Amino acid sequence: MRLPRTAHTSRPWRIHEIAGDFQVEDVWALPTPGGPDDLALLVDQFAHGKGDPVPSPVGRALFAIRWKLGALLGWDKAEDGVGGRLSTLRDRLPADLREGPSGPDLTAVPFTSVYQTHDEWVAEMGNRTVHGVMHIGWVPDGAGGYRGQMAVLVKPNGRFGALYMWGIKPFRYLGVYPALIRGIGREWQARAGERAAG
């Protein structure tokens, strides 16, 4: 379920002090019911899960087209990413977060972890179009439990980056996010069953 931006901005996340120059693009409730200490399980699923990170034929086709265009037009060169043209958000971290766990990097998609706390995990990616941040928070679900919440923050690279983000928005909403969130929920339930079985 898509949430209003205030579902992210109203919470006292540490990311606000680090990425104040990024805009909140999307916020989603994740179908990952759990207890108060289960964010680490969700982070592990993102990093080491067996599920398809883009679990739909339409989403996979859109990503394949995007990567082909990126290769053709030179959008994804290493020198344009984090650590090249873009400074990592780790350079902005206060001492307590810098000295704490950064969390795992992702292998299925090009995201590098920035920091992980008890209720937040942040990973970043970058290319010639945008510097993007995935923020995964762990929040009360209003029914006595907890669940994940995903926010996407972006800092487009100039007018071209802003136009790019505007152009891909319908594809994200129709072909990527719904399938991605359903896939996260399916794998969460499967892993919960495995944990319960022991």
Side-chain angles (χ1 to χ4, degrees), residues 66-96:
R66 164 58 184 86
W67 297 128
K68 294 272 188 197
L69 280 173
L72 182 66
L73 301 173
W75 291 346
D76 303 315
K77 294 179 180 175
E79 60 266 25
D80 290 320
V82 175
R85 179 182 66 82
L86 302 170
S87 298
T88 174
L89 289 181
R90 284 197 61 78
D91 294 342
R92 302 182 181 188
L93 295 183
D96 66 317

Side-chain angles (χ1 to χ4, degrees), residues 50-134:
K50 299 172 186 167
D52 187 338
V54 189
S56 81
V58 172
R60 282 192 293 276
L62 289 171
F63 269 97
I65 291 168
R66 164 58 184 86
W67 297 128
K68 294 272 188 197
L69 280 173
L72 182 66
L73 301 173
W75 291 346
D76 303 315
K77 294 179 180 175
E79 60 266 25
D80 290 320
V82 175
R85 179 182 66 82
L86 302 170
S87 298
T88 174
L89 289 181
R90 284 197 61 78
D91 294 342
R92 302 182 181 188
L93 295 183
D96 66 317
L97 290 179
R98 192 170 48 253
E99 294 164 7
S102 62
D105 293 339
L106 303 185
T107 55
V109 289
F111 277 86
T112 304
S113 280
V114 178
Y115 71 86
Q116 182 176 342
T117 67
H118 179 259
D119 62 355
E120 279 183 88
W121 174 51
V122 173
E124 66 182 335
M125 60 78 64
N127 53 42
R128 191 176 290 180
T129 62
V130 69
H131 190 175
V133 172
M134 177 178 63

Side-chain angles (χ1 to χ4, degrees), residues 6 23 26 50 64 69 77 84 103 128 142 149 185 191 198:
T6 53
Q23 61 195 42
D26 296 300
K50 299 172 186 167
L69 280 173
K77 294 179 180 175
R128 191 176 290 180
Q149 178 172 294
R191 288 165 68 102

Side-chain angles (χ1 to χ4, degrees), residues 30-35 37-46 49-51 136 138 146-148 180-196:
L30 299 179
T32 55
D37 304 318
D38 286 349
L39 174 66
L41 298 174
L42 183 57
V43 172
D44 182 72
Q45 176 178 315
F46 269 85
K50 299 172 186 167
I136 303 294
W138 197 247
Y146 290 78
R147 63 163 171 76
L180 172 67
I181 291 169
R182 284 193 304 270
I184 290 168
R186 279 194 299 270
E187 184 162 1
W188 180 263
Q189 292 299 330
R191 288 165 68 102
E194 291 170 5
R195 288 192 296 272

